[in-house]
Amino acid sequence: MLKRSVSLTAMLVAIAMLLGRFTGLLRVLGLALVLGVSYANDLAILVISVPDFLNAMLIGGALAAVLVPEMHRRSQEVSEENANQLIVQTLVVVGVVSTVIAIILAVYSSWFTQLLASGFTSLQISEASRLIMIVLLAFPISAVTAVTAAALQGHHKPNVPAYGNLFFNVILLCAIFFWVTPESIEVVAWAVVVAVSFRLLTQLVSCYATGAFVGGFRSLTRFNTLNRKLLVKYFQALAAIGVVVAFPVVSRSFASAFEGGISLFEYAQKLVELPRGLFGAVLAMVIFPRLSRDFSEGNMKEGTNLISQSAGLILLISIPATVAIYGCAEPVVSLLFERGKFSATDAANTAQLLQIAILSMPALILSILTMNVFYAKHETIIPFKLSLVSLLVLVLLSIMLRNSMGVSGVMLAFVISSWFHFMSLTMALQLKLKVSVIEGVKIKHFAALTLLTLLGILFSAMMIRLVSEPIHLIIYSVLLGLFCFGSVLLILKNHIPRFNRKLSL
C-alpha cells in the first residue's frame, strides 16, 4: 500500500510539475514573441529570476534538505507538536532574515545588478537596478514559501507546492500578453510580486488544512527548537545548494557580455529545464522524504533500492531525450519560437546553444539525486566542498572559452562543469558513504550507456547534415530516441521500476 501511495503521489506531482514547466515554457515563448532577442528581454529574464534565485541560493534551497529529515526524527523521537514548532519558528526566522537581506540588496542594488549581469553598461545597470529594487519585495515572500513547502513535504502533501510554478507562470503569462512591451518591463517586476504572493497564500491554506501548524505557535518566542547542530547542517546544505543554483546564474552573467546573450542562454536552458525540473521536483518532493524516512528507520536496503530505481528511471528518460533533442534542435526551436520579434537567425543561434546545453541534462538530474542521498543521510559538508570546486571549474572554463567561442563557449563550460559535479558527487558517495547510485551496475553497463549516448549524438549530427526537411528530421530524431530508449531499457532492466499493476517505487 505504501509503495502504491508513493507512486500515485509521484505521478500527481509529476503532472503538476509538468504543467508548471509547460507554462514556464509558454512564458519564455511569450517573452520571445513580445520582446525577441533584445536588451529588453534580457531585463525581463533578469527580473523574473531574481526572487527564486535568491530564495534557492540564500534561504530556501536547503530548507527541505534539512527540515524534512529533522521533522521525521522529531515526530518519532519527541512529538508531532515539536516538529510543528520547528516549522513555525523556522518560518518566523526566515521571514525576518530574508527581509533584512532584501533591504541590504536594495541599498546596494547597483552592485547586485552588476554581479548578475557583468556585461551590462553603466546605463543598463542603472535601469536594471531600479527594476530589481521592485522585485526584491518578492524575495521574503518567496523565502517564507520555501518553509511552507518543506512543511507540506514533511507531511507527505507535496501536491500544492508542486502547483506553485503553475500559479506563478499563469500570472506572469497574463502580464506578458496583456501589458508588457519593450518600454514597460516594470510590469514584469510587479507581476512577479503578485505571483509569489498568490503562491504563498495557497500553501499557507494547505498547511492549516493538513495540521502542519497545530501546536506550532507554542513557545514561539523562545525558539528552542532551532539548536546549533541543526543550524550548522542548514548552513552547510545552504552553501552546497546555493553554489549549485549559482551555476546558471554565473553562466548568464558571462553571457551578458554579448547583446541578447542572456536571452539566448535562457531560451536554450529553458528547453533543458523542462525535463530536468520535472525530475528534480519529483525527487525533491516525493523520493527525498521517503528516502530520509528509510534511512532514519535503518531500512538501508529499501533506501538503496529506491536510489537505484530512481537513477535507472532518470537514465531511461534522459539519454533518449538528449539524443532526440540534439538531432531536431533547430526545427523544434523554429517551431516554438520563430514568430513575432524572434527571427530565423535567433532560432538558429538558440538551436546551436540548445545542442550544447542538452548534453548536460543527464548530469543535472542525477546530481539532484546524489545530493538528496547525501542530505537524507544527514551529510552536508561533502556536497558543499564538491559544489564549490565545480563552481570554480565553471568560472575558469567560462573565462577560457568565452573569448574564443562566445556564448557557445559559456554554455560548453556549463556542460563540462555539470558532468564534473555529478561525477565527483558519485565518487564521494561511494567512497565516503558506501552508497552506489545504481547498485549492482557493472563497469561494462556504464561503458555501454556512454557508448550508446556518444553514438546517438554522432548519428544525430549526421542526420542534421543529410536531412534538410524539418519534419523528417524531427521524425528521424524521435525514432533514434526510441531506439536509445529500448537500448537503455535492456542495459538497465533490473534497475528500472516495473510498471506491472503498480510502480515499485
Side-chain angles (χ1 to χ4, degrees), residues 92-125:
V92 173
V93 171
V94 164
V96 172
V97 171
S98 58
T99 301
V100 172
I101 293 175
I103 293 173
I104 294 173
L105 291 177
V107 172
Y108 296 98
S109 58
S110 296
W111 171 84
F112 180 52
T113 305
Q114 189 169 13
L115 188 66
L116 293 176
S118 59
F120 276 12
T121 65
S122 299
L123 185 62
Q124 289 172 334
I125 288 174

Side-chain angles (χ1 to χ4, degrees), residues 282-299:
V282 173
L283 289 170
M285 293 186 176
V286 180
I287 304 302
F288 174 64
R290 164 86 183 275
L291 192 61
S292 94
R293 185 180 64 247
D294 286 340
F295 285 154
S296 66
E297 295 175 353
N299 297 329

Side-chain angles (χ1 to χ4, degrees), residues 134-269:
I134 297 173
V135 85
L136 282 172
L137 295 171
F139 172 44
I141 304 170
S142 184
V144 171
T145 304
V147 183
T148 56
L152 292 170
Q153 290 175 44
H155 284 79
H156 305 288
K157 300 291 183 181
N159 292 335
V160 172
Y163 281 100
N165 280 336
L166 176 62
F167 301 146
F168 180 86
N169 289 325
V170 167
I171 292 174
L172 283 180
L173 278 170
C174 292
I176 290 168
F177 283 110
F178 288 106
W179 295 294
V180 171
T181 65
E183 294 76 32
S184 60
I185 304 301
E186 186 174 325
V187 172
V188 176
W190 287 113
V192 169
V193 177
V194 173
V196 296
S197 300
F198 182 78
R199 184 169 59 183
L200 173 61
L201 179 63
T202 61
Q203 293 190 20
L204 285 173
V205 171
S206 183
C207 282
Y208 276 105
T210 57
F213 294 155
V214 174
F217 290 93
R218 296 178 184 174
S219 305
L220 178 60
T221 57
R222 287 184 289 181
F223 295 96
N224 55 329
T225 62
L226 301 176
N227 56 59
R228 181 178 178 275
K229 183 178 179 181
L230 183 64
L231 291 175
V232 168
K233 286 185 175 294
Y234 167 73
F235 282 114
Q236 289 173 346
L238 176 66
I241 294 175
V243 170
V244 174
V245 171
F247 281 21
V249 177
V250 169
S251 295
R252 277 204 305 263
S253 182
F254 279 107
S256 68
F258 307 93
E259 184 177 358
I262 291 179
S263 300
L264 289 173
F265 190 91
E266 183 70 10
Y267 292 149
Q269 279 284 9

Side-chain angles (χ1 to χ4, degrees), residues 159-444:
N159 292 335
V160 172
Y163 281 100
N165 280 336
L166 176 62
F167 301 146
F168 180 86
N169 289 325
V170 167
I171 292 174
L172 283 180
L173 278 170
C174 292
I176 290 168
F177 283 110
F178 288 106
W179 295 294
V180 171
T181 65
E183 294 76 32
S184 60
I185 304 301
E186 186 174 325
V187 172
V188 176
W190 287 113
V192 169
V193 177
V194 173
V196 296
S197 300
F198 182 78
R199 184 169 59 183
L200 173 61
L201 179 63
T202 61
Q203 293 190 20
L204 285 173
V205 171
S206 183
C207 282
Y208 276 105
T210 57
F213 294 155
V214 174
F217 290 93
R218 296 178 184 174
S219 305
L220 178 60
T221 57
R222 287 184 289 181
F223 295 96
N224 55 329
T225 62
L226 301 176
N227 56 59
R228 181 178 178 275
K229 183 178 179 181
L230 183 64
L231 291 175
V232 168
K233 286 185 175 294
Y234 167 73
F235 282 114
Q236 289 173 346
L238 176 66
I241 294 175
V243 170
V244 174
V245 171
F247 281 21
V249 177
V250 169
S251 295
R252 277 204 305 263
S253 182
F254 279 107
S256 68
F258 307 93
E259 184 177 358
I262 291 179
S263 300
L264 289 173
F265 190 91
E266 183 70 10
Y267 292 149
Q269 279 284 9
K270 183 56 67 175
L271 294 175
V272 177
E273 181 68 22
L274 184 63
R276 183 238 182 202
L278 177 62
F279 265 102
V282 173
L283 289 170
M285 293 186 176
V286 180
I287 304 302
F288 174 64
R290 164 86 183 275
L291 192 61
S292 94
R293 185 180 64 247
D294 286 340
F295 285 154
S296 66
E297 295 175 353
N299 297 329
M300 293 298 298
K301 184 177 180 181
E302 290 289 331
T304 301
N305 185 56
L306 184 60
I307 296 167
S308 179
Q309 292 194 341
S310 299
L313 193 56
I314 289 170
L315 291 172
L316 179 65
I317 301 300
S318 63
I319 290 178
T322 297
V323 172
I325 293 174
Y326 185 93
C328 60
E330 186 160 355
V332 167
V333 170
S334 297
L335 180 65
L336 292 174
F337 290 93
E338 197 175 326
R339 58 183 60 85
K341 293 184 176 294
F342 198 92
S343 67
T345 301
D346 295 332
N349 292 334
T350 302
Q352 182 181 1
L353 282 184
L354 175 59
Q355 287 178 321
I356 301 172
I358 197 64
L359 300 177
S360 67
M361 187 173 65
L364 291 172
I365 303 174
L366 288 168
S367 292
I368 298 173
L369 175 63
T370 51
M371 291 186 74
N372 279 334
V373 176
F374 276 110
Y375 297 143
K377 292 184 73 67
H378 301 276
E379 174 56 63
T380 53
I381 189 63
I382 294 176
F384 164 65
K385 291 179 179 179
L386 295 177
S387 299
L388 185 60
V389 172
S390 301
L391 181 61
L392 292 175
V393 171
L394 173 62
V395 171
L396 292 175
L397 287 175
S398 297
I399 294 173
M400 292 169 58
L401 298 175
R402 181 177 64 176
N403 292 334
S404 60
M405 298 177 61
V407 180
S408 296
V410 176
M411 186 65 81
L412 181 59
F414 178 82
V415 171
I416 296 172
S417 302
S418 299
W419 278 103
F420 176 83
H421 185 231
F422 163 63
M423 295 302 297
S424 61
L425 286 171
T426 302
M427 292 176 62
L429 197 62
Q430 179 68 54
L431 295 175
K432 298 294 185 179
L433 301 184
K434 308 301 180 185
V435 176
S436 175
V437 176
I438 303 184
E439 187 70 28
V441 175
K442 300 178 181 178
I443 295 179
K444 64 180 182 180

